[in-house]
Amino acid sequence: MLQLLKDVDKLSNNAPIGVFDSGLGGLTVWREVRRALPAESLVYLGDGKNCPYGSRPREEVRRLADEAVAFLVAQGCKLVVVACNTATAAAIDFLREKYAPMPIVGMEPAVKPACLATRSGVVGVLATERSLDGELFRRTAARYGDGVDLVTAPGRGFVELVENDLEATPEAEATVRAAVAEMLEHGADQIVLGCTHYPFLLPVLERVVAGRGVTVVDPSPAVARRVVQLLDRYGLHVDPAHRAEYTFRTFADEAYRLRLERKALGAL
Ligand code: DGL
C-alpha cells in the first residue's frame, strides 16, 4: 500500500480524469462525474468504431478496453472510469493490474441496492448479453440475490436506439416494452440498468412501467461517488484554482466526435 501511494504521487493532480465507453452510453456516467467534481477536467473517449461491444466475444472486448485505457493513459489521465458494464465485466481485473498504480473505476451492476430495496422480492436486471453471462454479474447475483428472484433480460436493440438518437420514437417504446415484459409479469418492483447506454432510455422506460410501483436503479451516481473516494484516498483532487476542461475523443470519425459533444451537452 505504501509503495502504491508513493507511485500514485507521480500522477498529477491537475491531470484529467478519463471516462471511456464503447460509444455514447458512458456519457450518462460522465454527467454524474462532472456533477460530483465540477473542477476536474474530463477526457471522454467513446470508441464509436467498434460499438456495440455487448455481443462481441470476451477476448475481443478485453482487447478493445485495453486499447481505450492505453489511449487515455497517453492523454495523461490520473484516473480512468470504465463507463461500460460490458468492458468492466470482460477486463477490469486485467486493466487494474496492467495500469497500476493508476486507479481504475469500473461499473458495478446495482444489484445490491435493488435487492435491499425490493418489497416484492423480484428484481429485474437489464444489461448486454456479454455482461449478463459474465463472472462479475454471476458473483454479484450470488452475493446479494439470496432470497430474491432475479429476472434478467438483455436490452436487445437498446444500444442501437441510443447510438442513432432514436430514444424518443415509437420504435424505442416497443423495444423497451418487449424487453421488460417478462420481469414485469414476474412482479419486479426494481429494475436495474446494467448498461450505461440505458439511462438515455429512462423517459421511455418510466412511461412503460408507470403505475406499477417500479423503481429504476441507475448505478452512475454511485460510480461518481467512488471516483470522489479514490481522489480522496490518493490525494489526487485538482488544485482549487484549476479551470475544468472537457474533451471528447473517439476511434471513429470527426462526425461521431461532434455527436459525442452534442449528446454530452444534451445530457446535462
Ligand atoms: N454501454 C456499454 C455497457 O455499459 C456497452 C454497450 C455496448 O457497446 O454493447 O455495457
Side-chain angles (χ1 to χ4, degrees), residues 21-26 50-56 82-88 107 127-129 131 159-160 163 194-198:
D21 180 43
S22 62
L24 302 162
N50 304 289
C51 186
Y53 284 5
S55 45
R56 291 178 187 274
V82 180
C84 174
N85 293 70
T86 311
T88 301
M107 298 299 301
T128 67
E129 281 172 76
S131 293
V159 170
E160 289 79 358
E163 287 292 320
C195 168
T196 54
H197 278 74
Y198 299 178

Side-chain angles (χ1 to χ4, degrees), residues 12-84:
S12 150
N13 286 64
N14 290 348
I17 293 172
V19 181
F20 138 74
D21 180 43
S22 62
L24 302 162
L27 290 171
T28 58
V29 178
W30 173 89
R31 167 179 61 189
E32 296 302 328
V33 174
R34 184 178 185 269
R35 209 172 269 161
L37 294 161
E40 298 287 344
S41 291
L42 306 177
V43 179
Y44 183 86
L45 170 64
D47 176 333
K49 195 169 147 200
N50 304 289
C51 186
Y53 284 5
S55 45
R56 291 178 187 274
R58 185 169 314 282
E59 279 313 306
E60 197 180 339
V61 175
R62 203 172 83 154
R63 180 180 58 75
L64 293 169
D66 186 17
E67 281 170 23
V69 174
F71 178 89
L72 290 170
V73 168
Q75 304 287 303
C77 291
K78 61 182 175 185
L79 178 151
V80 166
V81 183
V82 180
C84 174

Side-chain angles (χ1 to χ4, degrees), residues 120-238:
S120 67
V122 185
V123 168
V125 182
L126 290 167
T128 67
E129 281 172 76
R130 199 51 64 243
S131 293
L132 289 174
D133 72 13
E135 185 53 32
L136 180 63
F137 177 68
R138 254 196 303 276
R139 247 188 289 143
T140 315
R143 190 138 155 229
Y144 303 110
D146 205 23
V148 174
D149 190 4
L150 284 178
V151 185
T152 62
R156 280 209 185 88
F158 284 26
V159 170
E160 289 79 358
L161 287 167
V162 173
E163 287 292 320
N164 293 295
D165 289 326
L166 295 173
E167 295 99 316
T169 59
E171 185 192 347
E173 182 146 345
T175 307
V176 170
R177 203 175 282 285
V180 298
E182 196 193 335
M183 53 186 75
L184 291 181
E185 230 165 76
H186 277 75
D189 66 350
Q190 305 281 318
I191 295 183
V192 176
L193 301 182
C195 168
T196 54
H197 278 74
Y198 299 178
F200 278 119
L201 288 160
L202 196 57
V204 186
L205 181 57
E206 278 177 341
R207 235 181 2 258
V208 168
V209 302
R212 288 175 169 264
V214 171
T215 304
V216 180
V217 192
D218 173 7
S220 347
V223 171
R225 285 196 296 276
R226 180 72 187 144
V227 174
V228 175
Q229 271 174 10
L230 289 180
L231 294 185
D232 287 345
R233 180 191 297 175
Y234 296 121
L236 276 176
H237 282 280
V238 75

